Amino acid sequence: MPTTKVTGHFTFADWKEGPVTPEGTFPRLAHATVTNAFSGGIEAEATTCDYAIAYLTETTGVFAGTELVTGRVDGRAGTFVLEERGRFESDGTVHCAFEVVGGSGTEGLRGLRGTGGFTYRHGETEVPYAFEYDVE
């Protein structure tokens, strides 16, 4: 099956972050949970995200996490998990790449494979994403 490319936007809410190691020291670790809402090729009202964050400075660092998505991809309903890795820069820009965790697709998304990413710029309320996928 050929790879399908879709785009869209997401919004984020309920960002909750807490320290894992003492604040004010670098590098330091933090943990965050967030809820996203996707529109476009991926449609999901409220995802669940969990992130581990490494601050290299007060405004720069890297993160890794997982996101549980329940909704639709190009009209196919189901649930799947995204593995995410990214970095954030001192100007507030966030770069993230994500990949569907193999075997995580359910229902109409069983066999889903795909990769994507986004770049968030400080102050944006809707973040554009791109996603390439296929379903076995």
Side-chain angles (χ1 to χ4, degrees):
M1 174 181 230
T3 300
T4 302
K5 298 178 183 181
V6 296
T7 60
H9 291 84
F10 71 90
T11 59
F12 53 91
D14 299 325
W15 183 277
K16 295 177 182 148
E17 185 176 326
V20 173
T21 57
E23 293 191 51
T25 62
F26 298 98
R28 71 176 170 88
L29 301 179
H31 179 257
T33 58
V34 66
T35 301
N36 291 325
F38 281 81
S39 62
I42 301 172
E43 297 175 24
E45 288 184 24
T47 68
T48 303
C49 306
D50 188 74
Y51 296 113
I53 305 165
Y55 283 91
L56 305 177
T57 69
E58 189 65 40
T59 59
T60 64
V62 297
F63 63 92
T66 52
E67 183 165 12
L68 180 65
V69 180
T70 300
R72 297 181 176 280
V73 175
D74 256 358
R76 294 173 177 245
T79 298
F80 61 97
V81 175
L82 293 174
E83 181 177 359
E84 304 176 3
R85 292 192 169 282
R87 71 183 190 283
F88 50 98
E89 300 171 4
S90 59
D91 66 358
T93 302
V94 176
H95 302 277
C96 179
F98 55 81
E99 182 174 359
V100 174
V101 173
S104 68
T106 68
E107 301 174 35
L109 298 174
R110 190 172 313 280
L112 178 69
R113 297 181 304 204
T115 60
F118 66 84
T119 299
Y120 164 81
R121 289 175 178 76
H122 183 70
E124 288 180 332
T125 57
E126 289 191 339
V127 182
Y129 69 85
F131 182 53
E132 294 185 18
Y133 76 94
D134 62 24
V135 179
E136 295 176 342

